[in-house]
Amino acid sequence: MTPLIAGNWKMNTTVEEGVTLARAVAEATAEARGVAIAVLPPFTHLAAVRDALRGTAVAVGAQDVFWEDSGAFTGEVSPLMLRGLCDLVLTGHSERRHLLGETDEQVGRKLAASLRAGLRVMVAVGETEGERDRDETFSVVDRQLQAAFAALGDAPPNGSDVVVAYEPVWAIGTGRTATPEQAEEVCGHIKVAVRAATGIESAQVLYGGSVTPVNAASLFAEPSIDGALVGGASLKAADFAAIVAAAAPAVAG
Ligand code: PGA
């Protein structure tokens, strides 16, 4: 499976800074082979970043989406509006679940609406530190995945349209990366859970949470880790490119 390295810019950069960063990412990763690359800027940047990246290998994604196609939902952005601006959309990021109260059910509705609109969807799941301490990691990611896929009803998704990002909440933005063994254990579990829920034989599963140029290669050496969702390090083109480079040899062959 071609590894995917996605940069989640979160609520950072002005439009102008985002365009500059996107160009720098394209330039710094131009020699990369055998790796898929995406950047996820804020909604406000999507058109400009898409234009800046035209003709490059760097894809564009959105950080969130709403579950209705149109209507009286002030401030929200629908999957239909994203069509043409980006190919990929993230849903269920822990900052949205924990800071904004997004529920498992809402994440499922976002997944279903985005797939209906022809977008590729990255569903983020992961446990808090307390949940890990209580040995609830598997039950939490199972609950999050089951709720997400339940929203699809009987229509099984196309395997290439769904990516899962395992992001332990305690590792996000903290500098405390999961060990490769911890990340592998849960990513392997997620593949089995996705297969049971959807029939997708081997879903693409990324790890996210304090991925850096220093720890990336050891994570990518694990068999069930098919890339990374990168936050902080995606704001520096050189660091992001180093993570992309670390993914290329590890999964090739
Ligand atoms: P981080 O963020 O790399 O800064 O830990 C990852 C994410 O939230 O997707």
Side-chain angles (χ1 to χ4, degrees):
M1 179 180 312
T2 304
L4 169 63
I5 307 299
N8 174 11
W9 293 1
K10 309 193 179 184
M11 199 177 72
N12 293 296
T13 72
T14 62
V15 175
E16 202 179 6
E17 289 164 350
V19 167
T20 303
L21 176 58
R23 288 205 180 104
V25 165
E27 202 176 302
T29 58
E31 303 301 317
R33 295 292 174 271
V35 193
I37 307 165
V39 294
L40 280 58
F43 286 132
T44 43
H45 303 27
L46 288 174
V49 167
R50 173 203 57 187
D51 291 347
L53 291 175
R54 206 162 259 150
T56 76
V58 182
V60 183
Q63 298 173 17
D64 187 36
V65 65
F66 196 59
W67 57 76
E68 297 286 351
D69 289 345
S70 64
F73 304 102
T74 302
E76 293 299 329
V77 174
S78 90
L80 295 184
M81 295 170 182
L82 291 176
R83 243 179 6 195
L85 286 174
C86 61
D87 314 302
L88 174 73
V89 61
L90 173 63
T91 181
H93 190 278
S94 73
E95 283 148 18
R96 299 207 59 84
R97 292 180 189 267
H98 295 286
L99 297 175
L100 298 160
E102 200 160 290
T103 66
D104 294 340
E105 193 239 340
Q106 289 170 338
V107 173
R109 294 175 76 181
K110 291 178 175 194
L111 167 67
S114 300
L115 289 174
R116 258 197 325 270
L119 297 165
R120 192 168 183 226
V121 188
M122 187 185 300
V123 181
V125 298
E127 81 290 358
T128 63
E129 186 164 30
E131 288 163 343
R132 176 164 281 266
D133 290 347
R134 291 192 299 277
D135 235 358
E136 293 169 5
T137 299
F138 287 175
S139 61
V140 168
V141 302
D142 285 349
R143 189 199 73 223
Q144 292 171 333
L145 290 170
Q146 273 160 18
F149 292 122
L152 303 183
D154 291 334
N158 188 332
S160 57
D161 288 343
V162 178
V163 180
V164 177
Y166 168 54
E167 297 206 303
V169 179
W170 47 271
I172 296 179
T174 58
R176 262 183 75 199
T177 322
T179 64
E181 295 72 26
Q182 286 172 322
E184 168 62 20
E185 184 186 30
V186 185
C187 290
H189 177 85
I190 287 171
K191 279 189 197 284
V192 175
V194 174
R195 190 181 310 135
T198 67
I200 296 173
E201 200 42 51
S202 184
Q204 181 148 33
V205 182
L206 312 185
Y207 167 77
S210 298
V211 176
T212 68
V214 173
N215 59 35
S218 62
L219 290 160
F220 300 151
E222 298 292 341
S224 304
I225 301 178
D226 311 314
L229 181 56
V230 184
S234 74
L235 295 171
K236 294 194 184 119
D239 285 0
F240 188 66
I243 294 169
V244 168
V251 193

